[in-house]
Amino acid sequence: RTGLWEGLYRCAILGLSKLRKREKNFTMFRALAQCAVNVARVSRPTITQRVVGPSLVVCAQRNSSGGVMSDEEFDSRWVEFFSKEDIDDWELRKGVNTLVGYDLVPEPRIIVAILHACRRLNDMASAIRLLEVIKAKGGPRAKEIYPYVLQEIQPTLDELGIKTPEQLGLDKC
């Protein structure tokens, strides 16, 4: 940060002397604003981001360039992502939000992997919210899709002791 301030100071000193010679109506604020823009262009800091899953990000980049990913490969990447033993709460929520953002209802095996991740993290609220979202993602065909998904994941729900929103009375709210 000191480099930025030093750059602004030098730019302001040099800029003021040049501006005074060129313009009659100049303001200190305009000179500092121009200097700030110039210094910011030169000294852009590098920004590091936390990536959800490198395999998923690479996959999305490849698909955006025209590559086609099979449904099986898509499902296996998400199952692998949610099956990580060291997944944390943030990664779980970020992964679910990304998955929900797609124009699809996730396959039951992806949902099972998410439910197991929720149980490992002892996050039952996210598990129940996931079931609510799956029902909402069905749209006009929710009466067909949601019962099918529940039928497929019921053994996992029983194994993990997770109740559906209907069993908890949340569908009546």
Side-chain angles (χ1 to χ4, degrees), residues 7-8 16 20-21 53 88 110 130 135 166 171:
L8 278 173
L16 287 176
R20 282 186 183 144
K21 292 176 185 174
D88 62 3
I110 298 173
L130 171 70
K135 186 174 185 177
E166 293 78 19
D171 60 333

Side-chain angles (χ1 to χ4, degrees), residues 25-162:
N25 298 330
F26 105 98
T27 63
M28 180 73 137
F29 180 73
R30 185 186 316 156
L32 285 175
Q34 288 175 347
C35 290
V37 169
N38 291 336
V39 169
R41 283 185 190 146
V42 173
S43 63
R44 286 189 179 164
T46 58
I47 299 173
T48 57
Q49 283 185 316
R50 184 174 180 181
V51 178
V52 172
S55 60
L56 297 175
V57 172
V58 170
C59 172
Q61 289 172 350
R62 286 185 189 145
N63 282 340
S64 65
S65 66
V68 177
M69 183 189 325
S70 68
D71 292 342
E72 185 63 32
E73 185 181 11
F74 178 83
D75 293 348
S76 64
R77 286 180 186 247
W78 279 107
V79 168
E80 179 184 338
F81 175 75
F82 288 114
S83 297
K84 293 188 310 188
E85 290 297 322
D86 62 340
I87 194 169
D88 62 3
D89 293 336
W90 186 89
E91 288 177 318
L92 174 70
R93 286 190 305 273
K94 178 66 174 149
V96 170
N97 285 337
T98 302
L99 185 61
V100 166
Y102 295 137
D103 187 25
L104 55 84
V105 177
E107 286 293 320
R109 67 188 200 121
I110 298 173
I111 297 169
V112 166
I114 296 171
L115 291 174
H116 279 285
C118 288
R119 175 47 85 188
R120 279 194 308 275
L121 295 170
N122 201 23
D123 190 359
M124 291 301 104
S126 292
I128 293 166
R129 180 67 183 136
L130 171 70
L131 296 175
E132 292 174 331
V133 168
I134 297 300
K135 186 174 185 177
K137 288 288 286 181
R141 296 184 57 199
K143 291 185 192 269
E144 302 166 26
I145 295 172
Y146 186 64
Y148 166 74
V149 170
L150 279 182
Q151 170 191 333
E152 295 294 313
I153 66 171
Q154 192 60 50
T156 305
L157 292 173
D158 294 338
E159 172 192 344
L160 299 176
I162 299 172

Side-chain angles (χ1 to χ4, degrees), residues 2-17 35 39:
T2 48
L4 178 68
W5 289 111
E6 289 172 6
L8 278 173
Y9 178 74
R10 284 189 204 133
C11 183
I13 297 300
L14 293 172
L16 287 176
S17 62
C35 290
V39 169

